Amino acid sequence: MENVRDIAKWFLSHQSMTHKKVQKLCYYAQAWYCALYDGSPLFEDEIQAWVHGPVIPALYPVYADYRWENIPKQNFDESNLSDKALDILEAVYNTYGGFTGDQLERLTHSEKPWQQARGNLKPWEASTVPISCSSMREYYARAYEQAQND
């Protein structure tokens, strides 16, 4: 299993970005990994359904001081990650890397895993409800199957 800090650093080795964007990219990496690798998680850290979308609380303090500013681009040694992880990260970055953090927030808000974890909470209500790997697997595996059949 990978370390979520390494996943974040991998994304940051490709471009400078906001904390919100790196959180969402890490979420999508976990989601697609769960979907494509039989529900196995990419990293063990919990993802929660926060107001602004999925957030990994363990990663939050690492970049919190940047607030809304871009985190600088970083160097990263890819040998720290497995080939399966790198395949997912490349696919996620190629798919979602062009979006802003705000666009990714809106996208995650439109998808079932975040919506289900939020339940009946008001949009502004805080939550620490986890988004399960099984809910990600179900939703994104179905999306993958539909895309293959189009």
Side-chain angles (χ1 to χ4, degrees), residues 16-43:
S16 173
M17 65 184 75
T18 63
H19 189 187
K20 184 187 286 189
K21 182 171 178 173
V22 78
Q23 284 277 353
K24 302 309 170 262
L25 291 175
C26 288
Y27 163 75
Y28 279 118
Q30 179 81 307
W32 284 105
Y33 197 91
C34 288
L36 299 175
Y37 293 110
D38 297 322
S40 298
L42 176 60
F43 52 84

Side-chain angles (χ1 to χ4, degrees), residues 115-130:
Q115 292 172 352
Q116 288 173 338
R118 294 285 299 172
N120 293 324
L121 290 171
K122 303 275 191 256
W124 61 86
E125 286 184 279
S127 170
T128 58
V129 175

Side-chain angles (χ1 to χ4, degrees), residues 77-90:
D77 179 1
E78 289 191 350
S79 68
N80 292 336
L81 299 171
S82 70
D83 289 342
K84 283 175 27 175
L86 290 170
D87 288 346
I88 289 291
L89 298 180
E90 285 285 347

Side-chain angles (χ1 to χ4, degrees), residues 49 111-120 129-130 135-136 138-139:
E111 298 171 337
K112 289 227 183 289
W114 181 83
Q115 292 172 352
Q116 288 173 338
R118 294 285 299 172
N120 293 324
V129 175
S135 72
M136 290 184 267
E138 181 181 316
Y139 179 80

Side-chain angles (χ1 to χ4, degrees), residues 22-75:
V22 78
Q23 284 277 353
K24 302 309 170 262
L25 291 175
C26 288
Y27 163 75
Y28 279 118
Q30 179 81 307
W32 284 105
Y33 197 91
C34 288
L36 299 175
Y37 293 110
D38 297 322
S40 298
L42 176 60
F43 52 84
E44 67 182 343
D45 299 279
E46 183 175 81
I47 300 174
Q48 296 177 353
W50 287 18
V51 169
H52 293 286
V55 171
I56 300 118
L59 188 59
Y60 191 84
V62 177
Y63 300 111
D65 289 347
Y66 288 97
R67 298 179 175 244
W68 303 106
E69 300 295 323
N70 277 353
I71 302 163
K73 194 172 174 182
Q74 300 180 5
N75 292 323

